Amino acid sequence: DNQVGSNVTTVNVDQIPGLNTMGISLVRIDYAPHGQNPPHTHPRGSEILVLVKGTLYVGFVSSNQDNNRLFAKVLHPGDVFVFPIGMIHFQVNIGKIPAVAFAGLSSQNAGVITIANAVFGSNPPIYP
């Protein structure tokens, strides 16, 4: 019950200190029907996502040097998709039922930068 229709539950070094120096973390993402995990990036880790329930449209955008090419796919339960480190990526539940996915990240704390929040919610604001 939020603006984007998803909830990300993170398990990283902040929750489990024993992950320190292990280079791994995990997230569970729950999506309402038509919910999304909006465009974001992880500056310190790649991500591998597996869909457990529902149908997701997922993708990432390559760099400027690659003409910002979109790599996207519709996932069904059991499908896997990889988001390379630092690439802007997203997931959208295109189904009529809730969706659930798990993702492993190649860092004990991969970080997250939600693009719209960073650009339009900076403090102080970016001069228009």
Side-chain angles (χ1 to χ4, degrees):
D1 187 22
N2 58 39
Q3 288 182 322
V4 296
S6 69
N7 184 59
V8 179
T9 304
T10 303
V11 179
N12 64 25
V13 71
D14 293 334
Q15 290 78 31
I16 303 175
L19 290 176
N20 190 32
T21 74
M22 299 295 239
I24 58 170
S25 56
L26 180 73
V27 297
R28 174 186 169 140
I29 313 161
D30 292 274
Y31 309 84
H34 309 294
Q36 63 175 305
N37 190 3
H40 64 281
T41 181
H42 303 288
R44 296 183 296 275
S46 295
E47 175 180 347
I48 185 165
L49 181 134
V50 61
L51 183 62
V52 176
K53 175 183 173 185
T55 307
L56 294 180
Y57 174 64
V58 304
F60 69 88
V61 179
S62 69
S63 64
N64 294 351
Q65 293 84 0
D66 192 34
N67 295 316
N68 302 307
R69 191 164 32 137
L70 173 65
F71 293 84
K73 182 178 180 181
V74 173
L75 300 184
H76 302 280
D79 287 344
V80 173
F81 198 85
V82 174
F83 304 105
I85 187 171
M87 295 292 164
I88 296 173
H89 60 282
F90 62 89
Q91 302 102 39
V92 180
N93 182 355
I94 59 173
K96 295 178 182 176
I97 65 168
V100 178
F102 288 90
L105 295 112
S106 65
S107 171
Q108 67 187 28
N109 185 355
V112 64
I113 301 169
T114 304
I115 305 307
N117 292 354
V119 173
F120 300 110
S122 69
N123 186 13
I126 298 170
Y127 183 74

